[in-house]
């Protein structure tokens, strides 16, 4: 499948779910509170965060076209659909995304919020923990925590790679901290994540989220998921990951 065909199919698959915003590099997503209200009549609760870098700034590791499609279509769609699903829902309206995910269940009634809430949160984290000129070995408090839990960054990276390559179909691999700030690695299907108390086996605070949905890598790497995983490690933003760890 070439890039033109993939983009055409992506557009066809998503066209019925949401209206994708028109974005330029690093501009705020158009699904702000005012825009959502004007398009749907629903006051927006969640806004897609602005990228801290341009679509092409993670090259050659993450290509610009993948970034643009991933951010302006997939993530924007999760954000818009989450707002629509939460509006008028007395269980979740007015709560933070973390509170929503902690209470979500596996029932059919919660499916839309589970999928779109997970997609919203997961991608917020994903963009935040990548940066131009990133990668390398961890530094600061997270480096010591990784050493204590895994012995070395190489061992941690090997385990995270194994978790990511082992996801069947679409999902995520995670480096998480437990309630005692001990680190562990897990994976989840679809847009589930470790904050979902009633769904995952072990609840944790996500520090690194590795997206292994095909839309995250297929334009550049096709079916070579392992190549994408290696590239992902080259853009890790250790300052942001440290900030998440130290905030626990």
């Amino acid at each position: 499948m070439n890039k033109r065909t993939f983009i055409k199919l992506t557009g066809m698959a998503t066209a019925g779910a949401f209206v994708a915003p028109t974005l330029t590099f690093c501009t705020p997503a158009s699904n702000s509170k005012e825009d959502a209200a004007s398009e749907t009549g629903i006051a927006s609760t969640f806004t897609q965060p602005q990228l801290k870098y341009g679509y092409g700034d993670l090259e050659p590791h993450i290509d610009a076209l993948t970034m643009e499609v991933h951010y302006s279509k997939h993530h924007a769609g999760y954000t818009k659909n989450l707002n629509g699903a939460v509006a008028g829902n007395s269980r979740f309206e007015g709560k933070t995304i973390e509170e929503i995910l902690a209470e979500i269940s596996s029932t059919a009634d919660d499916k839309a919020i589970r999928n779109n809430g997970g997609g919203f949160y997961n991608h917020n984290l994903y963009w935040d923990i990548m940066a131009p000129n990133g990668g390398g070995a961890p530094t600061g408090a997270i480096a010591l925590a990784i050493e204590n839990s895994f012995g070395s960054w190489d061992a941690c990276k090997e385990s995270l790679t194994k978790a990511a390559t082992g996801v069947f179909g679409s999902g995520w691999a995670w480096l998480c901290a437990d309630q005692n700030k001990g680190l562990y690695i897990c994976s989840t299907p679809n847009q589930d994540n470790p904050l979902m108390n009633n769904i995952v086996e072990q609840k944790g605070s996500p520090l690194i989220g590795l997206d292994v949905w095909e839309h995250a890598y297929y334009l550049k790497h096709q079916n070579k998921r392992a190549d994408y995983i290696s590239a992902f490690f080259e853009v890790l933003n250790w300052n942001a990951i440290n900030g998440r760890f130290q905030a626990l």
Side-chain angles (χ1 to χ4, degrees):
M1 181 184 296
N2 59 34
K3 290 185 177 181
R4 181 176 296 176
T5 302
F6 183 86
I7 291 297
K8 182 178 180 181
L9 291 175
T10 300
M12 291 172 63
T14 57
F18 62 92
V19 178
T22 301
L23 299 175
T24 55
F25 292 162
C26 288
T27 58
S30 66
N31 54 337
S32 63
K33 291 183 179 181
E34 293 80 6
D35 290 331
S38 63
E39 289 180 11
T40 67
I42 299 171
S44 176
T45 302
F46 300 103
T47 302
Q48 185 182 16
Q50 178 178 330
L51 286 177
K52 299 176 182 178
Y53 42 83
Y55 293 143
D57 288 350
L58 302 183
E59 295 269 12
H61 309 293
I62 309 293
D63 62 288
L65 185 56
T66 293
M67 282 292 303
E68 181 175 5
V69 173
H70 201 168
Y71 177 79
S72 70
K73 296 187 182 296
H74 293 281
H75 191 196
Y78 289 123
T79 306
K80 180 174 181 179
N81 292 338
L82 172 62
N83 285 322
V86 168
N89 187 313
S90 59
R91 287 175 57 211
F92 298 119
E93 197 169 32
K95 293 184 177 180
T96 67
I97 187 60
E98 291 82 5
E99 290 170 337
I100 289 172
L101 297 180
E103 295 179 23
I104 208 74
S105 73
S106 58
T107 64
D109 288 344
D110 287 352
K111 183 177 180 179
I113 297 178
R114 173 185 177 181
N115 290 340
N116 291 291
F120 172 76
Y121 176 92
N122 296 350
H123 287 90
N124 290 353
L125 181 147
Y126 182 70
W127 310 130
D128 185 54
I129 62 164
M130 296 192 294
N133 303 312
T139 58
I142 192 64
L144 180 59
I146 287 173
E147 183 176 348
N148 289 339
S149 296
F150 300 98
S152 68
W153 166 234
D154 285 341
C156 177
K157 184 165 61 173
E158 182 179 352
S159 295
L160 191 54
T161 297
K162 184 177 180 180
T165 55
V167 171
F168 181 78
S170 302
W172 293 72
W174 304 94
L175 174 67
C176 301
D178 62 26
Q179 60 183 358
N180 298 315
K181 299 187 74 170
L183 304 185
Y184 70 95
I185 287 169
C186 66
S187 63
T188 56
N190 302 316
Q191 294 296 351
D192 290 353
N193 69 45
L195 296 178
M196 297 179 177
N197 288 336
N198 301 315
I199 293 171
V200 296
E201 292 183 1
Q202 181 179 3
K203 180 184 182 297
S205 299
L207 301 173
I208 295 176
L210 175 45
D211 187 351
V212 290
W213 282 64
E214 285 187 347
H215 61 241
Y217 63 88
Y218 213 80
L219 285 175
K220 182 177 177 67
H221 299 288
Q222 289 79 52
N223 64 330
K224 300 175 183 177
R225 182 186 288 185
D227 290 352
Y228 156 70
I229 293 169
S230 295
F232 171 79
F233 290 125
E234 297 300 320
V235 294
L236 282 178
N237 181 350
W238 288 113
N239 287 333
I241 297 166
N242 253 314
R244 288 179 175 274
F245 181 68
Q246 292 173 327
L248 297 177

